[in-house]
Amino acid sequence: MREIYYLMKRNMFMFLRDYMAVFFSVLSMLIVLALMVIFLGSMNSENVVEALAEMGGVRDTAADEKNAEYLIQMWTLAGILVVNTVTVTLTVMGVMVEDETRKRLASFYIAPIKRIKLALGYICSSWVIGVGMCLVTLIVGEAYMALKGHPLLPSVSLLKLVGMIALNAFVYASLSYLLALLVHSESAWSGLLTIIGTLVGFIGAIYLPMSMLPAGVAKALKCLPVLHGAAMMRVICIEDAVEKTFAGLPDTAADMFRESMGVTIIMGGSEVSLFGQIIFLLACGIMAIAASVLISGRRRLRDR
């Protein structure tokens, strides 16, 4: 454990010492948060209000608009948290790519340290910073909700959300390490970051709701961890908002919204449970670590 701790500490220092990289990482998160909440949130909330009006009955338009705004903004916040667990952990894992390009990684391979400990040193540092950055995003998001006059999440919901952030960050830190083993230059890693950062919003059905995606694409996304991670967080974030927005309507109205917005994931004709999503995400992270150790072991033998 001591080896993992010192490796983690060293990797975190390597990332945090570049103040400009940290600054722009935080700034990019806040910019994405602002753009998605203001523009994407406004578009989707208008769609919800129109859908409520089409369902008939006596509705309070002003209340519907406020509730729909809160609902979509919390839905958007959940998506952004997942995006950050992916992009931040990838950014931090750039330390490993830098170590390889500067021939430091070869020294670790010949040192008397187990490959699994070396892997966990990189993964844990990426995980810790990823969780920290996401907590900053969550705090800013909740502060924005408070300024808009919306209620804050209950303490129990916040604790659940923090646990989900930690789980997702672990998965993507593990996958980031696996990807880093396959990339051998900082320019290639930078290009990969750009591609993944662009695609992750679509993969998690964040830029476009599930109902707007082709059936084949939606089916494929259900096999990826990003969508399930986003769905987990959406359940917690919008729980109270859904009840307020669809008050006075049949339960099927809220159920249709959850499915169309990627909150409820249907596979094989049945809903994927929270427990099933947790197991799936853990399996993805563990398999990524196992594959990484195998690949690094072969590389170590080849380098001898």
Side-chain angles (χ1 to χ4, degrees):
M1 292 299 295
R2 289 183 60 188
E3 293 94 335
I4 296 174
Y5 169 75
Y6 286 123
L7 283 169
M8 179 183 71
K9 184 178 178 180
R10 175 258 179 193
N11 295 334
M12 291 175 62
F13 172 76
M14 292 289 290
F15 174 75
L16 295 174
R17 71 176 182 177
D18 189 345
Y19 299 116
M20 293 304 295
V22 176
F23 171 76
F24 283 112
S25 294
V26 175
L27 182 62
S28 64
M29 289 191 307
L30 298 181
I31 291 174
V32 171
L33 176 63
L35 291 176
M36 290 186 69
V37 167
I38 294 172
F39 296 106
L40 185 61
S42 176
M43 179 185 67
N44 286 327
S45 61
E46 290 174 1
N47 293 336
V48 172
V49 172
E50 291 176 1
L52 292 172
E54 292 174 358
M55 291 177 185
V58 179
R59 304 294 304 180
D60 184 340
T61 304
D64 282 347
E65 291 176 350
K66 185 175 180 61
N67 291 332
E69 179 187 57
Y70 176 51
L71 172 62
I72 294 301
Q73 287 180 350
M74 291 302 293
W75 177 86
T76 304
L77 176 60
I80 293 170
L81 290 173
V82 174
V83 169
N84 287 344
T85 60
V86 177
T87 57
V88 174
T89 52
L90 276 169
T91 302
V92 179
M93 198 58 69
V95 171
M96 177 181 166
V97 179
E98 180 184 342
D99 284 341
E100 180 173 7
T101 57
R102 302 191 182 186
K103 309 301 180 183
R104 292 192 290 255
L105 194 57
S107 300
F108 286 131
Y109 284 147
I110 63 175
I113 181 174
K114 294 182 178 179
R115 286 163 288 174
I116 184 64
K117 292 183 178 180
L118 179 62
L120 290 176
Y122 284 109
I123 291 170
C124 289
S125 59
S126 182
W127 173 75
V128 170
I129 295 178
V131 171
M133 292 289 192
C134 286
L135 291 180
V136 171
T137 304
L138 178 59
I139 292 170
V140 172
E142 283 287 84
Y144 175 80
M145 298 301 169
L147 289 174
K148 295 287 289 184
H150 299 307
L152 299 179
L153 288 172
S155 56
V156 175
S157 297
L158 284 173
L159 288 175
K160 290 179 181 179
L161 199 56
V162 170
M164 292 176 181
I165 289 172
L167 173 60
N168 278 271
F170 161 72
V171 173
Y172 303 122
S174 302
L175 291 171
S176 296
Y177 181 76
L178 177 59
L179 286 175
L181 286 172
L182 306 176
V183 177
H184 306 293
S185 71
E186 293 183 67
S187 58
W189 185 253
S190 178
L192 184 64
L193 280 174
T194 302
I195 294 172
I196 293 177
T198 303
L199 291 178
V200 67
F202 294 99
I203 295 173
I206 296 164
Y207 301 150
L208 291 174
M210 290 290 287
S211 59
M212 298 180 64
L213 298 174
V217 174
K219 188 175 181 179
L221 295 185
K222 293 177 182 179
C223 300
L224 301 177
V226 178
L227 180 60
H228 291 278
M232 295 169 60
M233 296 193 194
R234 287 166 178 163
V235 169
I236 301 300
C237 286
I238 72 169
E239 184 177 12
D240 181 57
V242 166
E243 292 181 3
K244 291 181 177 179
T245 303
F246 293 92
L249 295 173
D251 293 340
T252 53
D255 293 340
M256 289 176 59
F257 171 82
R258 292 188 182 97
E259 185 174 351
S260 66
M261 298 297 286
V263 180
T264 300
I265 307 299
I266 305 296
M267 297 183 69
S270 59
E271 179 182 345
V272 181
S273 65
L274 175 60
F275 179 74
Q277 290 173 328
I278 292 174
I279 295 300
F280 175 62
L281 289 173
L282 283 173
C284 289
I286 293 171
M287 287 190 294
I289 293 174
S292 300
V293 172
L294 181 62
I295 292 173
S296 62
R298 289 181 176 178
R299 176 182 294 182
R300 180 178 178 180
L301 291 173
R302 187 176 64 248
D303 292 342
R304 285 181 172 179

